[in-house]
Amino acid sequence: MPAVAGGGGPGGYWLFGHHAVEAAIRNPRRQIHRIVAAGDAAAALGRGTEVEAVDRDFIDKLVGRDVVHQCLAARVSPLPEADIYEICDTARERENAVVVVLDQVTDPHNVGAILRSAAAFGAIAIVLTERHAAPESGILAKSASGALEHVPLVRVTNLARAMDELKEAGFWCIGLAAEASQPLSAVKSGGKVALCLGAEGAGLRRLTREHCDLLVRLPTSGPIDHLNVSNAAAISLYELAR
């Protein structure tokens, strides 16, 4: 279990919710500065965890009264950054691997939900842009339900160049686009796949599309012909795993 140090630390933020806090405690790479709990919320953390007892209003003021914090919060430092070369090295040792590439997806709820799906279906990383992308935060971690501690976020300055690095490591870059002629289900499963998704509305940018080996779509037949990006990611990851 990581040591609990006093203070918040530069660049730190508050995690909240049972899954996010418990996963952080179990992660040896996570630096935790302070854990606070109201009521009996600390009981789920087990013995040996240093927890400061507070009232619910105290946590409301830390993370927001409208946030579902489950009376538990932890002040943490951001996780150590992973880089694209580490992910490529990891993938070279595997016959099959999936990486999710997010092109300027800014909503932390969406990125958190995609992290959760990535962890559930065995993706080894999420690659996203340094700018115009959701930062690591309590909202992102809560939406990820603990997955932030398991699936690395790899931030890159140039997404197209990162896709080139993935291709050199044996990845096939597949982009989701509503106008694509081929459904994802027609793609042969297995091997190394980088699943590329764009922001809602804008979709994949032109340069990102051009760096994809193939554009595919998720077939829809109802009155709404588009999906939230996190829903599209979950369906696509399931399809690739299947």
Side-chain angles (χ1 to χ4, degrees):
M1 185 190 76
V4 178
Y13 66 94
W14 285 97
L15 286 176
F16 49 86
H18 284 286
H19 290 303
V21 173
E22 289 171 16
I25 290 171
R26 293 193 297 268
N27 184 1
R29 298 182 302 117
R30 174 69 83 176
Q31 185 179 13
I32 299 175
H33 303 283
R34 185 183 181 190
I35 302 173
V36 296
D40 59 357
L45 302 180
R47 295 181 179 180
T49 302
E50 184 182 335
V51 182
E52 181 181 346
V54 298
D55 58 34
R56 185 187 181 94
D57 286 344
F58 182 86
I59 302 178
D60 286 344
K61 291 174 183 177
L62 289 179
V63 302
R65 189 171 297 276
D66 297 329
V67 169
V68 182
H69 52 66
Q70 299 174 301
C71 294
L72 187 63
R75 183 73 178 178
V76 300
S77 292
L79 287 165
E81 292 186 0
D83 65 43
I84 193 68
Y85 305 106
E86 292 176 46
I87 302 307
C88 290
D89 287 344
T90 298
R92 286 189 180 97
E93 300 172 359
R94 304 186 181 195
E95 183 178 351
N96 301 308
V98 174
V99 166
V100 179
V101 176
L102 300 181
D103 188 6
Q104 296 194 341
V105 178
T106 58
D107 186 335
H109 296 93
N110 278 334
V111 176
I114 293 168
L115 265 168
R116 187 174 184 177
S117 296
F121 293 111
I124 64 172
I126 291 181
V127 179
L128 63 172
T129 51
E130 281 189 352
R131 298 178 61 190
H132 306 295
E136 185 181 329
S137 67
I139 292 173
L140 187 153
K142 180 68 164 62
S143 300
S145 195
L148 178 59
E149 311 300 326
H150 299 285
V151 180
L153 292 177
V154 181
R155 299 185 185 273
V156 297
T157 55
N158 188 311
L159 196 62
R161 191 176 302 143
M163 291 170 69
D164 286 339
E165 293 292 342
L166 289 169
K167 289 181 182 182
E168 288 186 15
F171 279 88
W172 196 26
C173 293
I174 298 176
L176 278 190
E179 73 280 6
S181 59
Q182 185 173 356
L184 177 59
S185 58
V187 176
K188 184 179 178 181
S189 61
K192 299 181 179 70
V193 174
L195 177 67
C196 307
L197 303 102
E200 287 185 60
L204 294 170
R205 291 175 295 165
R206 178 187 58 81
L207 192 58
T208 308
R209 287 169 177 257
E210 291 174 356
H211 276 72
C212 288
D213 298 301
L214 179 67
L215 293 178
V216 299
R217 61 183 171 83
L218 294 176
T220 55
S221 58
I224 297 177
D225 62 355
H226 58 279
L227 293 170
N228 171 285
V229 64
S230 62
N231 292 335
I235 294 168
S236 300
L237 288 166
Y238 167 76
E239 184 65 36
L240 292 173
R242 186 174 67 89

